Amino acid sequence: MAIHIVDRRLNPGSKSLENRQRFLRRAKALVQGAVKKSSQERDIKDVLEGGEVSVPIDGMDEPRFRREGGTRDMVLPGNKKFVEGDMLPRPNQSGGKGRGAGEGDSEDTFRFVLSRDEFVDLFLDDLELPDLAKRKLAEVECEGIRRAGYSTSGSPANISVSRTVSRALARRVALRRPRPEELAALEAELEDCSEARRVELLAEIEALKAKIKRIPFIDPIDIRYRRFETVPKPVAQAVMFCLMDVSGSMTEHMKDLAKRFYMLLYVFLKRRYRHVEIVFIRHTDRAEEVDEQTFFYGPASGGTLVSSALQAMHDIVRTRFRPEDWNIYAAQASDGDNSYADGEVASRLLTDKILPVSQFFAYLEVGQENGLSYEMPNSALWTLYEGLRANGAPLSMRKVNERSEIFPVFHDLFQRRSQQERTAS
Amino acid sequence: MTATDQLLFQGADWDFRTLQKICDTCEQVACDELGLNVYPNQIEVITAEQMLDAYSSVGMPLFYKHWSFGKHFAFQEASYRKGLMGLAYEIVINSSPCISYLMEENTATMQTLVIAHAAFGHNHFFKNNYLFKQWTDADGILDYLEFAKRYVAHCEDRHGRQAVEHTLDAAHALMSHGIDRYPGKKSLDLRAEEKRAGRRRAHEEAAFNDLWRTVPGGKVKSSAILDVERRRQMLGLPQENLLYFLEKTAPRLRPWQRELLRIVRHIAQYFYPQSQTKVMNEGTATYVHYRIMSRLHQQGRLTDGNFLEFLQSHTNVVFQPEFDDPRYSGFNPYALGFAMMQDIERIVTDPDAEDREWFPDIAGKGDAMAVLRDIWANYRDESFISQFMSPRLMRHFRLFHLHDDPEERAGILVDAIHNERGYRRLRRELARQYDVGFIDPNIEVVDVDLAGDRRLMLRHTVVKGAQLTETDTKRVLQHLADLWSYDVSLVESDASGTVLKEYVAHPRNISVAA
């Protein structure tokens, strides 16, 4: 009987992928809760890593008819000292021996790993993402050149020598072009040979020479040129400025809204660019560049001067991110308070320095929890920005109160941007 | 021939030529020396990830899509990653050809062990045990699973994923009550089953004529006229196969829903013998691999080092922790089965007076393999233990029997131990733990109120005071009511007929809307 041995290792794996996705869809509410919790604890950059989440298993179990209680009989191995008729004290309910005791609630949560995409999708989904594919960012592209095989025509500078030579060789072999050694051998023989052979040899040599002439070493049909084509190439790097007002009036809720907005922007940019830098700038009446931890959680208080943050951003752009090389994005979150005298300075900084070099500038006005965004009176900053926008500055602004508003606002901002571009061009 | 020429392999590495050689050699020992009779073998080498895949769909290579398999995958993957669980070395499928999956990470010794264990041990058991012969269709199963997968996908396209998922969820909840426990007139023929489903679908489509809906019907005979007994008989009551009952009589199920119930029921039935023969099946495979490996070593085809490696895995597999060991979680079927098979071999070849008294039929018969082959063919766990558990083995495991009556204040009674008075009681009680009739709660459909509100009535016969857990029961009944489309009630009563508890579930209209 022949035994069949099959190597299945190369079969596509992840047969469970679809089942896994169904499970995630099914457990979406549970998993989403877990993702939300874990993204609150995460740094912006870690959002893209995917990661472990715990899901309560009892929300996902499959019911069966099961029994419990009653009298139980069990046969166990390992008797050491018992004799028939012994009464054993009943162990405490929790430490019960025997089968099934305490089973069932032993695994009330289980942790599993979400892939990067699953995590981001669920994360974005939490923000009520309607359809990722419909998002359209005004993408800045530049022409790039890439190799695109070979062609039979082109400029001499682009002749591919190796390709040409190898084609020529193939042709010479195929057409049996005599090699120089063959000719040399015959000629050597010609030096000293009999007369009869001599005639023969001369004829052969003649034939060879004719053939060599007929079949050139390199024929024009051998020549190949390297072909290039131009492709639109996304600019490879972007920098994102997170500007946040941290004066005393910013509550934790507001910072959380801002953080979510920044995360979204980061995820969004990260999917578009190979390399994304983040600069965190917080400001009171003076601005400083800080790390993420300090940005969101560091205690700071003081007056408010928005221009300080704008000035800081401008300085950083000038020293570290040349606008020719970098796509510059900025998102500013604030509760909208600003000192009256600062408006003029901020406006000038924006119009002259920042907006001309930025791809996109978003202003997010964060409000109190449970507030209604359309009921918020226009703040100092809002009025200022609205004035700028009326003059045609590429600036988008929104008010946000609730976490659930983050995504729609985000979506809106980017829609608006592309429309503006279209009208501008 | 020198000693090294005889070796199957050296070191831990293997390639496909080595595998072929291992298979051929094992086959010689298994078939020629041990007299095993197996299905043709197919060995498939897979990766750890594929092994996890196979795990999560009850070990089947192709299965319909369902979220619970994804859940199992996530769960198992998580515990595998954390190192809580090693992967099984092998998965083997009761089909013809018998498919065994080997993991590529295994060493050459492990591959030999796994081939001996699965491709010959399990394979022989699948082919010869009466339960498998009666209940499973090894030739048809792979095609049937392929059909089930296609059919479920087809239903999803036609009726929406939600509706299909809902029906399958309900069917899965009742899966353990979708089994015929007593052999019917015909055995399972899955190929015919698949053809039949296809024909019926084609017929329905061909014969569909909307006009029939408008034909006025005659006067329907009131069901109250039918007397109770006759009605119950026509409905096949009482019926313990809940899935079968629903498939045949649930009033508002669509044809495709009935077919889904049928598929789940067939698959449950296919796995039914496995649950009744865990000890025997694993015992057989372990005994066979042990015999084959020892023989290969004896023949000089395995080095001493490789044989030691094998012994280490083997010892781990047949390790039985004692009841007070933190690792204890019930009887290890490998340990129990293997110990019993070895004990039988001893009784047959080298019995003492006690064995002759207890096992007059087999003691001293001489041909261990013939006796074992006969046992493998004709017993299941419960009957196997109740017939062949020897006093010597009970002493070896130092078995004792505990009787835990919640009414008894003083504690748990040690009812029997491994002594002359206790042997028979121990054996009976242990066998009972493997009696499927005893393990699953006894739930039957007892009646349908056809004259009234079409309520479906179920009864759970309570044994030894163990009642159903409330939360689970409510949820299962909800599924049941959704399939039935009218109210469902479940009464728990003890042997004397006293009602202990009653549940009622009302259908949600989800399945109807689907």
Side-chain angles (χ1 to χ4, degrees):
Chain A
M1 205 187 309
I3 295 176
H4 216 66
I5 300 180
V6 188
D7 187 357
R8 289 265 185 243
R9 286 172 297 178
L10 295 177
N11 273 26
S14 322
K15 265 202 294 195
S16 283
L17 187 66
E18 162 137 26
N19 285 332
R20 185 184 158 91
Q21 283 167 346
R22 284 175 186 226
F23 161 62
L24 283 181
R25 251 199 307 274
R26 171 103 177 185
K28 196 163 143 191
L30 296 170
V31 179
Q32 230 162 44
V35 166
K36 190 188 283 180
K37 227 175 103 197
S38 87
S39 62
Q40 270 162 0
E41 293 153 8
R42 269 160 202 253
D43 295 341
I44 288 178
K45 280 179 185 163
D46 294 341
V47 171
L48 278 178
E49 296 299 305
E52 279 211 337
V53 297
S54 318
V55 168
I57 199 165
D58 54 326
M60 287 302 296
D61 69 341
E62 295 159 87
R64 295 277 150 88
F65 285 125
R66 268 195 284 268
R67 288 175 303 185
E68 65 183 357
T71 58
R72 294 192 305 160
D73 286 284
M74 50 214 151
V75 176
L76 304 170
N79 179 16
K80 278 143 203 124
K81 53 180 189 207
F82 307 136
V83 293
E84 189 182 333
D86 276 359
M87 276 295 194
L88 309 183
R90 196 163 275 133
N92 291 333
Q93 218 58 27
S94 53
K97 278 272 176 260
R99 303 193 305 159
E103 230 175 53
D105 32 72
S106 52
E107 273 283 1
D108 46 2
T109 59
F110 79 87
R111 300 180 74 81
F112 63 98
V113 181
L114 288 178
S115 76
R116 192 185 134 118
D117 279 348
E118 283 168 342
F119 194 92
V120 172
D121 281 350
L122 284 159
F123 172 75
L124 293 176
D125 226 35
D126 179 28
L127 297 167
E128 280 153 30
L129 180 68
D131 189 354
L132 256 181
K134 285 187 190 143
R135 266 184 304 110
K136 182 89 183 125
L137 173 69
E139 219 170 324
V140 176
E141 284 170 349
C142 71
E143 297 276 283
I145 286 178
R146 76 164 177 228
R147 295 281 295 269
Y150 298 93
S151 75
T152 50
S153 61
S155 85
N158 284 339
I159 286 182
S160 166
V161 176
S162 59
R163 179 57 69 113
T164 303
V165 168
S166 78
R167 285 187 62 89
L169 178 65
R171 183 183 47 79
R172 294 198 306 268
V173 171
L175 297 178
R176 295 180 197 281
R177 184 185 203 259
R179 285 175 304 155
E181 299 91 79
E182 290 174 49
L183 194 62
L186 288 178
E187 273 169 348
E189 205 184 334
L190 196 65
E191 297 285 297
D192 44 0
C193 66
S194 65
E195 206 46 37
R197 176 81 181 123
R198 190 182 173 82
V199 178
E200 223 174 89
L201 275 176
L202 278 175
E204 264 180 58
I205 288 172
E206 211 44 49
L208 274 188
K209 279 189 171 161
K211 198 166 185 188
I212 288 175
K213 223 172 182 176
R214 249 190 352 263
I215 306 171
F217 192 80
I218 288 196
D219 195 273
I221 62 165
D222 298 332
I223 298 175
R224 288 294 177 273
Y225 300 87
R226 289 190 299 269
R227 211 170 79 79
F228 296 91
E229 61 182 16
T230 54
V231 283
K233 200 159 122 197
V235 175
Q237 41 195 5
V239 57
M240 171 179 136
F241 284 89
C242 303
L243 310 175
M244 186 155 73
D245 177 358
V246 290
S247 60
S249 53
M250 285 288 283
T251 62
E252 278 307 309
H253 171 70
M254 292 170 166
K255 287 183 184 174
D256 182 54
L257 288 178
K259 182 176 179 179
R260 281 170 171 265
F261 187 81
Y262 293 136
M263 276 190 182
L264 204 53
L265 186 60
Y266 179 73
V267 168
F268 185 58
L269 295 176
K270 191 76 188 175
R271 288 204 159 180
R272 200 136 302 226
Y273 298 101
R274 225 171 291 148
H275 186 61
V276 181
E277 288 268 338
I278 319 180
V279 179
F280 295 103
I281 299 173
R282 66 170 187 180
H283 74 92
T284 52
D285 49 357
R286 57 193 184 80
E288 53 180 340
E289 186 183 352
V290 292
D291 60 18
E292 181 175 346
Q293 209 55 28
T294 329
F295 186 70
F296 287 107
Y297 305 108
S301 196
T304 316
L305 275 180
V306 173
S307 61
S308 64
L310 297 172
Q311 184 61 50
M313 173 176 168
H314 177 58
D315 292 342
I316 293 170
V317 168
R318 229 179 27 204
T319 51
R320 280 159 40 199
F321 303 100
R322 285 175 12 126
E324 298 89 82
D325 300 335
W326 290 83
N327 289 290
I328 298 169
Y329 293 85
Q332 183 184 9
S334 165
D335 57 357
D337 283 343
N338 195 19
S339 74
Y340 181 72
D342 190 48
E344 184 60 24
V345 190
S347 160
R348 236 190 1 256
L349 264 170
L350 274 169
T351 342
D352 299 344
K353 304 277 171 52
I354 292 179
L355 291 175
V357 299
S358 302
Q359 300 296 337
F360 184 71
F361 192 101
Y363 169 62
L364 194 71
E365 193 159 303
V366 286
Q368 289 294 347
E369 211 165 354
N370 304 325
L372 290 166
S373 43
Y374 53 84
E375 280 180 357
M376 276 155 66
N378 283 350
S379 62
L381 220 48
W382 184 268
T383 320
L384 165 69
Y385 282 13
E386 204 153 51
L388 286 175
R389 203 160 58 90
N391 294 332
L395 177 75
S396 290
M397 42 205 284
R398 276 291 176 283
K399 294 180 186 174
V400 181
N401 286 75
E402 291 298 325
R403 217 174 265 161
S404 61
E405 290 173 340
I406 297 274
F407 184 76
V409 160
F410 185 80
H411 190 239
D412 237 33
L413 288 176
F414 283 86
Q415 284 292 320
R416 199 156 258 258
R417 165 80 175 161
S418 61
Q419 271 162 14
Q420 275 180 354
E421 280 233 329
R422 237 175 285 138
T423 47
S425 62
Chain B
M1 230 198 275
T2 62
T4 39
D5 288 335
Q6 291 229 321
L7 286 177
L8 281 172
F9 50 80
Q10 271 178 315
D13 294 337
W14 54 267
D15 56 24
F16 283 84
R17 279 204 9 240
T18 324
L19 277 190
Q20 189 69 54
K21 211 159 121 195
I22 293 171
C23 286
D24 294 342
T25 320
C26 286
E27 189 177 13
Q28 276 167 22
V29 181
C31 299
D32 303 344
E33 297 184 24
L34 303 181
L36 302 185
N37 168 22
V38 293
Y39 290 124
N41 268 306
Q42 180 161 327
I43 311 278
E44 307 202 349
V45 180
I46 61 176
T47 60
E49 194 206 350
Q50 288 170 321
M51 191 59 116
L52 273 169
D53 272 347
Y55 253 49
S56 49
S57 50
V58 284
M60 282 310 188
L62 29 98
F63 221 53
Y64 53 80
K65 306 268 179 233
H66 192 259
W67 63 271
S68 69
F69 307 138
K71 181 184 96 174
H72 288 131
F73 184 83
F75 188 72
Q76 267 146 0
E77 192 193 26
S79 53
Y80 177 57
R81 271 183 208 231
K82 274 190 287 188
L84 291 182
M85 171 187 95
L87 287 176
Y89 300 123
E90 118 287 338
I91 283 184
V92 55
I93 294 169
N94 167 24
S95 64
S96 175
C98 175
I99 299 176
S100 315
Y101 293 110
L102 313 188
M103 273 214 291
E104 63 171 346
E105 286 88 343
N106 294 348
T107 61
T109 311
M110 287 308 299
Q111 301 294 28
T112 319
L113 163 63
V114 166
I115 289 169
H117 181 91
F120 295 97
H122 282 304
N123 188 348
H124 172 84
F125 195 79
F126 288 146
K127 190 174 177 189
N128 295 280
N129 183 266
Y130 79 105
L131 280 175
F132 287 88
K133 281 184 168 173
Q134 208 161 53
W135 287 119
T136 66
D137 174 12
D139 287 318
I141 183 66
L142 293 179
D143 289 339
Y144 189 71
L145 289 175
E146 173 70 39
F147 153 75
K149 185 179 172 185
R150 264 187 290 115
Y151 190 81
V152 170
H154 168 82
C155 287
E156 282 177 347
D157 289 345
R158 267 183 105 148
H159 312 287
R161 192 180 273 180
Q162 274 277 305
V164 172
E165 183 173 295
H166 202 77
T167 311
L168 283 178
D169 283 353
H172 285 181
L174 297 166
M175 202 163 180
S176 51
H177 296 269
I179 297 159
D180 289 320
R181 290 175 205 282
Y182 309 101
K185 286 183 198 104
K186 55 175 184 179
S187 55
L188 205 57
D189 180 354
L190 293 172
R191 277 207 180 123
E193 186 61 41
E194 179 194 338
K195 287 205 191 92
R196 183 203 51 76
R199 269 204 312 276
R200 194 161 65 186
R201 224 174 25 252
H203 173 76
E204 267 163 20
E205 273 161 24
F208 178 76
N209 186 343
D210 203 35
L211 269 184
W212 284 111
R213 209 166 37 78
T214 64
V215 173
K219 219 177 150 191
V220 182
K221 215 196 282 178
S222 162
S223 52
I225 298 170
L226 293 167
D227 68 309
V228 180
E229 274 315 303
R230 176 131 182 274
R231 190 183 76 231
R232 287 173 52 111
Q233 204 184 355
M234 281 175 70
L235 288 170
L237 298 174
Q239 173 62 264
E240 63 171 353
N241 189 337
L242 304 184
L243 279 181
Y244 178 81
F245 183 83
L246 289 169
E247 178 197 326
K248 295 298 175 200
T249 54
R252 297 179 70 175
L253 284 184
R254 305 288 181 83
W256 62 267
Q257 288 179 304
R258 293 183 204 277
E259 190 64 42
L260 290 186
L261 297 192
R262 200 176 172 85
I263 286 172
V264 172
R265 187 165 65 81
H266 279 317
I267 288 169
Q269 192 78 59
Y270 176 83
F271 284 109
Y272 184 52
Q274 315 234 2
S275 65
Q276 298 185 68
T277 52
K278 257 192 205 125
V279 172
M280 285 194 76
N281 204 343
E282 294 304 352
T284 307
T286 309
Y287 180 81
V288 166
H289 83 224
Y290 187 74
R291 286 286 298 259
I292 293 179
M293 294 300 277
S294 307
R295 185 79 182 113
L296 293 182
H297 181 231
Q298 201 183 5
Q299 289 175 337
R301 289 170 167 255
L302 290 178
T303 63
D304 292 347
N306 287 331
F307 193 65
L308 274 176
E309 186 197 342
F310 154 71
L311 280 179
Q312 160 138 28
S313 316
H314 174 76
T315 326
N316 285 338
V317 165
V318 298
F319 173 66
Q320 174 64 61
E322 299 189 333
F323 80 102
D324 50 358
D325 191 308
R327 289 167 292 182
Y328 179 79
S329 60
F331 268 103
N332 171 0
Y334 294 84
L336 186 59
F338 180 66
M340 286 186 66
M341 310 281 174
Q342 281 220 309
D343 195 42
I344 291 168
E345 181 189 329
R346 183 190 59 76
I347 293 169
V348 173
T349 51
D350 179 25
D352 56 21
E354 186 185 47
D355 297 322
R356 287 189 194 280
E357 185 197 328
W358 277 68
F359 303 103
D361 289 348
I362 59 168
K365 244 188 154 186
D367 186 353
M369 276 317 294
V371 170
L372 280 172
R373 283 198 305 266
D374 179 60
I375 291 172
W376 293 339
N378 296 310
Y379 290 82
R380 57 177 182 161
D381 286 350
E382 181 228 347
S383 54
F384 175 60
I385 290 169
S386 76
Q387 300 280 316
F388 294 103
M389 184 60 139
S390 74
R392 180 192 281 245
L393 206 55
M394 288 186 246
R395 290 194 296 272
H396 166 75
F397 278 123
R398 298 207 297 267
L399 297 185
F400 63 110
H401 170 217
L402 291 181
H403 178 73
D404 181 3
D405 183 354
E407 302 291 307
E408 177 59 72
R409 282 295 198 60
I412 304 171
L413 177 70
V414 178
D415 205 35
I417 64 161
H418 45 92
N419 60 14
E420 208 58 51
R421 272 166 56 79
Y423 291 143
R424 290 192 190 277
R425 273 190 288 162
L426 275 181
R427 190 160 80 166
R428 191 181 58 229
E429 280 304 326
L430 185 62
R432 232 172 178 206
Q433 286 179 9
Y434 291 93
D435 183 355
V436 273
F438 220 69
I439 294 169
D440 287 326
N442 177 10
I443 295 170
E444 311 172 297
V445 181
V446 284
D447 208 351
V448 184
D449 182 4
L450 284 180
D453 57 3
R454 302 192 186 178
R455 173 180 292 203
L456 182 68
M457 288 175 266
L458 306 176
R459 182 179 61 212
H460 171 223
T461 313
V462 174
V463 181
K464 297 207 290 188
Q467 285 181 246
L468 296 173
T469 55
E470 193 169 315
T471 340
D472 269 338
T473 305
K474 281 184 178 160
R475 293 178 58 196
V476 178
L477 284 181
Q478 183 61 63
H479 279 307
L480 189 55
D482 290 344
L483 291 177
W484 180 247
S485 304
Y486 298 95
D487 287 2
V488 171
S489 71
L490 171 76
V491 166
E492 291 195 86
S493 60
D494 60 15
S496 66
T498 318
V499 173
L500 303 171
K501 189 158 185 157
E502 183 165 3
Y503 297 90
V504 178
H506 311 290
R508 297 172 289 192
N509 47 11
I510 302 172
S511 64
V512 180

